[in-house]
Amino acid sequence: MDAVHTQSDPADDPAGPNAGFTPRVFSGIQPSGGLTLGNYLGAIRRFVEKQDSGIETLYCMVDLHAITVWQDPAKLRHATRELAAGYLAAGLDPTRSTMFNQSQVPEHTQLAWIFNCVARMGWLNRMTQFKDKAGKNRENASVGLFAYPCLMAADILVYHATEVPVGEDQKQHIELTRDIAIKFNTDFGVDFFPVTEPVIEGVATRVMSLRDGTKKMSKSDPSDMSRINMTDDADTIAKKIRKARTDPEALPSEEAGLEGRAEARNLVAIYAALAGSDVETVLTEVGGRQFSEFKPMLAELAVAELSPISAEMARLMEDPAAIDAILAGGAVRAREIAAPIVKRTYEIVGMVG
Ligand code: AQP
């Protein structure tokens, strides 16, 4: 939908705020390191579900986001191809999902500039991811890291995406995307951008570090023992789970018994996600067991799920040119959608050309 309508409060539309917009899914992952189990359970597995639901899907390697913190160029190239291999190995099909590299679709940055001028400093100052990543050294953080949420809003809205499957940590950024869409529509008296819905579902929307149950499992955590990488072999996965931090108590039989036991909750949630179950059901099966019994069960399940994916990733990485060709083809398709939306945005804003 790229028509300009008269201004209205989208919440007042009985058919929903995005009635009239073609349902479309967009999401992305940064090639800022190797993929983790958190990326897989929180994002990629859900990307595949969306693809299989028949809705139009676009999935991006958000390399421009990755460089908001320093990336070695050779490692960035490798991580981008490995991320694409991860998407493919997990079940994304480039004939059904558009897969591409953010930097190859310049419309993302063209729209991001407009959104830099729509978003307010106060909105960005509230973003917890910036505070976490910049830490105490805020003055030395890149401008890109601060403006990251405006580029993310552009990534989504340049396709008029109506749904974004993400992990819990991205909720605040999607809310900002919605605020930007509403402010743009209001400022210019149009109904041009949809108010995108975050899709945060399942038991593993926030997989935690294996070393600290209060911290998110993350690619850039300095400790490799804190995460399971999609490329870890079976022995490494088993070792990381064996050494995962836990408490001395046996597992409870009910969810209430996980209160105040962040590490225990995390391992049970990972088990539930991998088994396609839920925490309550898993606890009815494993309640009363010690971690010495539960951890090998979890390791076995994780290896069974991840090993075929990592083997396929390794096979795909033997032919980087084939991966590059898939990404180049995806970028062409992505630009077909994005270019008219940017053109119309610039007209609405008053650019002559
Ligand atoms: N631990 C997690 N649990 C559930 N979902 C997660 N995601 C990331 N970590 C977890 C989801 O994966 C998608 C891509 O995230 P990203 O790579 O773009 O950025 P991120 O959230 O900052 O991920 P990392 O691993 O922590 O990367 P670095 O260390 O580079 O910052 C998102 O949908 C995210 O929710």
Side-chain angles (χ1 to χ4, degrees), residues 25 30 61 66 76 124 178 192 194 237-238 261 267 292 322 326 329:
V25 170
Q30 300 181 74
M61 329 291 130
L76 178 64
L124 295 182
R178 292 162 64 87
F192 185 64
I237 293 173
R261 300 178 66 187
L267 295 188
S292 55
I326 289 171

Side-chain angles (χ1 to χ4, degrees), residues 7-229:
Q7 183 183 342
S8 62
D9 184 341
D12 293 341
D13 188 334
N18 293 325
F21 287 92
T22 306
R24 193 175 278 148
V25 170
F26 171 89
S27 200
I29 296 184
Q30 300 181 74
S32 47
L35 278 171
T36 70
L37 181 66
N39 297 133
Y40 176 64
L41 294 176
I44 298 181
R45 219 162 69 157
R46 315 239 319 291
F47 296 177
V48 178
E49 286 164 15
K50 282 286 170 195
Q51 167 188 268
D52 294 344
S53 76
I55 196 168
E56 179 170 16
T57 44
L58 296 108
Y59 296 121
C60 193
M61 329 291 130
V62 285
D63 51 359
L64 296 171
H65 284 289
I67 62 163
T68 56
V69 297
W70 167 251
Q71 302 294 334
D72 172 83
K75 287 187 183 156
L76 178 64
R77 271 189 287 275
H78 177 83
T80 304
R81 292 186 178 120
E82 194 176 75
L83 175 54
Y87 280 3
L88 294 165
L92 289 183
D93 172 354
T95 65
R96 290 193 290 151
S97 287
T98 302
M99 283 176 48
F100 62 100
N101 201 4
Q102 184 187 29
S103 58
Q104 303 311 304
V105 181
E107 286 78 8
H108 288 237
T109 43
Q110 289 176 323
L111 188 60
W113 182 259
I114 302 290
F115 289 169
N116 282 341
C117 302
V118 172
R120 307 289 92 184
M121 289 289 287
W123 298 1
L124 295 182
N125 272 329
R126 286 194 285 276
M127 295 294 110
T128 53
Q129 180 170 293
F130 175 73
K131 290 181 199 162
D132 291 347
K133 289 200 172 177
K136 293 196 182 78
N137 208 0
R138 211 181 144 125
E139 292 297 309
N140 204 30
S142 72
V143 174
L145 189 65
F146 185 71
Y148 182 118
C150 293
L151 178 58
M152 182 164 159
D155 299 336
I156 295 165
L157 294 172
V158 83
Y159 302 106
H160 278 181
T162 51
E163 294 175 45
V164 185
V166 280
E168 180 70 37
D169 61 313
Q170 293 300 325
K171 190 168 178 225
Q172 195 184 34
H173 287 162
I174 308 292
E175 280 162 4
L176 190 105
T177 299
R178 292 162 64 87
D179 289 343
I180 288 175
I182 291 168
K183 180 160 165 45
F184 181 97
N185 289 347
T186 306
D187 285 353
F188 293 100
V190 296
D191 191 8
F192 185 64
F193 287 114
V195 182
T196 308
E197 292 292 337
V199 185
I200 303 170
E201 288 168 350
V203 268
T205 56
R206 192 168 173 82
V207 177
M208 309 309 279
S209 158
L210 299 180
R211 307 303 300 162
D212 177 350
T214 64
K215 262 174 66 183
K216 190 186 79 154
M217 183 181 285
S218 181
K219 310 180 199 85
S220 54
D221 191 311
S223 165
D224 192 55
M225 292 300 284
S226 70
R227 61 180 163 262
I228 293 173
N229 303 303

